[in-house]
Amino acid sequence: MTPKFSLQNVLDVRHTRVEAVEIQLGRAMAAEEAAQRSLDALLARKEQIMTRLTSIMQGDLDLVEVGLLRADLETMDPSIAAAKDALMAAHHQVLHVRAQLVEAKQAEEVLKILKRKRIEIFDAEQLQKEARAQDDIYIARAFQDLRE
């Protein structure tokens, strides 16, 4: 039976941290996708307005409608800029959390390696003990055979 790993509690804590950071990464990626969808929707809306404005300019001009569409376009530009900023912030957050995840996984892996090494040492010691016990049995049998 392998001995209890003395740093098992630390390994468990590090594993829990990895899981928590993975959840954070999922949330950050979801926020980034939401920001991207929001930006895409704003850009699509701007394209619709531009298309509508182009079609209105073809025939008789309705200055009221042209003015309203132009006002819509002017209010969309700050919204698009804000959406781009939000997307960039969400992307940076994803990168930051990814870096944390890599760091947490590395810390966990270090302890896993230590645990594997300790088990390998224990197994090697067990093999040596078994070999010595087997040698002792063979030697005892040989002495018994010589006595008889």
Side-chain angles (χ1 to χ4, degrees):
M1 186 169 126
T2 59
K4 186 174 186 310
F5 182 55
S6 61
L7 297 174
Q8 186 63 45
N9 291 339
V10 178
L11 180 59
D12 292 342
V13 167
R14 288 193 178 170
H15 181 71
T16 303
R17 170 138 169 72
V18 167
E19 289 176 343
V21 174
E22 285 174 341
I23 291 169
Q24 278 183 321
L25 179 61
R27 288 181 181 153
M29 290 175 75
E32 182 183 30
E33 286 180 29
Q36 182 65 51
R37 283 192 306 272
S38 175
L39 178 61
D40 291 343
L42 285 171
L43 291 173
R45 176 70 180 131
K46 182 177 179 178
E47 185 63 33
Q48 288 174 347
I49 292 172
M50 292 297 289
T51 302
R52 178 72 181 132
L53 190 57
T54 303
S55 69
I56 289 176
M57 299 287 238
Q58 298 294 323
D60 292 333
L61 288 179
D62 182 0
L63 293 180
V64 173
E65 190 171 358
V66 170
L68 290 173
L69 290 174
R70 189 169 167 268
D72 281 348
L73 283 175
E74 288 175 359
T75 60
M76 290 203 73
D77 287 336
S79 298
I80 290 172
K84 285 180 180 178
D85 290 343
L87 178 60
M88 190 61 68
H91 181 69
H92 287 296
Q93 181 65 22
V94 166
L95 294 177
H96 176 71
V97 174
R98 254 192 205 129
Q100 285 181 337
L101 181 61
V102 167
E103 182 181 311
K105 282 189 175 190
Q106 286 174 343
E108 180 186 29
E109 190 60 31
V110 166
L111 285 179
K112 284 182 178 179
I113 291 170
L114 286 174
K115 183 177 181 177
R116 278 195 303 271
K117 294 285 185 187
R118 180 63 192 123
I119 289 172
E120 288 172 5
I121 290 170
F122 177 79
D123 289 343
E125 289 172 353
Q126 288 301 108
L127 285 174
Q128 286 177 349
K129 285 180 185 177
E130 289 173 9
R132 282 192 301 261
Q134 195 71 28
D135 288 345
D136 290 344
I137 291 171
Y138 290 142
I139 291 170
R141 282 186 186 162
F143 280 128
Q144 268 183 346
D145 290 344
L146 284 176
R147 279 192 203 162
E148 293 175 356

